Amino acid sequence: MNQTLIIAILSPILLTVGGIISWIIKSKKEDVLNSEAKSREFKIETYKILLEPFIATMTFTLSEKVKQREINKLTTLEYKKAVFDLTTFGSDKAIQVFNKIMQTFFHSDIYKDENGEYTSDYGNRLIALLSELLLQIRKDLYTKKTKLKRSEMLEFMITDMEQTKEIINEMKL
């Protein structure tokens, strides 16, 4: 057989096979991207539910009654489901930090002074942990290479962050 005949026969076959392979790869890539987008949306909704009570406690314009209602959400079934979703879909670091926040709440008595008042260590620890959680959520959802520090995650909400910036950034969690 002559070479031009072989080329004439193989060319359409190779082009067809190449097109099919390209289509399969593109289709798989689109499936992965769609799956990642759905996963990201689910994570965002889960993180929103988990953060609501903490946002309320840091919103100084809310009444104590509203803040308490938000804190009470920590014991609801919806909140517990969101926590289980976190343990299933959240990043390892986000889960670890969230657990430390909850343990700090559970053992808050160790942060009380002899008068039964919470020390500044308790507030600083919670701010550091919440800031770290926000940082881990940011890394989980968007960019692992963020250059932001813990204190910068809540600086917009805390008027005297400048005074505790070093404590928040360097606190051992």
Side-chain angles (χ1 to χ4, degrees):
M1 253 198 219
N2 139 357
Q3 270 187 326
T4 52
L5 182 61
I6 293 173
I7 292 173
I9 293 172
L10 287 180
S11 291
I13 293 171
L14 291 175
L15 284 172
T16 303
V17 169
I20 291 171
I21 291 172
S22 294
W23 177 78
I24 290 170
I25 290 171
K26 182 181 176 190
S27 176
K28 293 288 183 191
K29 184 177 179 180
E30 286 176 1
D31 287 347
V32 167
L33 290 175
N34 286 337
S35 178
E36 286 176 358
K38 286 179 184 175
S39 175
R40 178 174 285 123
E41 286 303 315
F42 182 75
K43 284 181 177 185
I44 288 170
E45 288 307 310
T46 299
Y47 286 136
K48 280 181 182 179
I49 292 169
L50 294 176
L51 291 172
E52 276 179 13
F54 303 110
I55 293 168
T57 60
M58 298 185 75
T59 304
F60 301 110
T61 57
L62 294 177
S63 70
E64 288 303 315
K65 184 178 179 181
V66 173
K67 287 182 184 183
Q68 191 58 50
R69 187 176 63 230
E70 289 297 316
I71 291 169
N72 289 342
K73 284 184 179 181
L74 295 172
T75 60
T76 65
L77 180 60
E78 179 189 16
Y79 197 83
K80 299 290 184 190
K81 286 179 181 179
V83 173
F84 273 97
D85 289 340
L86 171 69
T87 61
T88 306
F89 299 105
S91 72
D92 291 355
K93 292 283 189 179
I95 293 167
Q96 290 168 341
V97 174
F98 183 80
N99 286 338
K100 287 179 183 180
I101 289 171
M102 295 312 294
Q103 288 300 312
T104 300
F105 277 128
F106 296 150
H107 303 288
S108 63
D109 287 344
I110 65 172
Y111 295 97
K112 290 184 177 179
D113 63 16
E114 56 277 351
N115 298 324
E117 300 291 322
Y118 288 108
T119 64
S120 61
D121 290 344
Y122 182 63
N124 288 339
R125 180 165 176 79
L126 286 175
I127 290 169
L129 285 166
L130 186 55
S131 297
E132 185 64 26
L133 179 62
L134 291 171
L135 205 52
Q136 293 307 321
I137 289 170
R138 179 180 168 84
K139 289 178 181 180
D140 184 26
L141 294 175
Y142 303 109
T143 176
K144 295 186 184 343
K145 296 182 181 182
T146 186
K147 291 182 173 44
L148 293 174
K149 295 179 180 160
R150 278 187 210 146
S151 61
E152 293 173 301
M153 298 306 293
L154 288 175
E155 195 168 353
F156 71 97
M157 287 188 85
I158 300 174
T159 56
D160 60 347
M161 182 60 89
E162 199 60 40
Q163 297 169 0
T164 57
K165 188 181 279 193
E166 278 185 48
I167 294 168
I168 300 303
N169 290 334
E170 296 175 17
M171 184 176 283
K172 178 96 169 108
L173 302 176

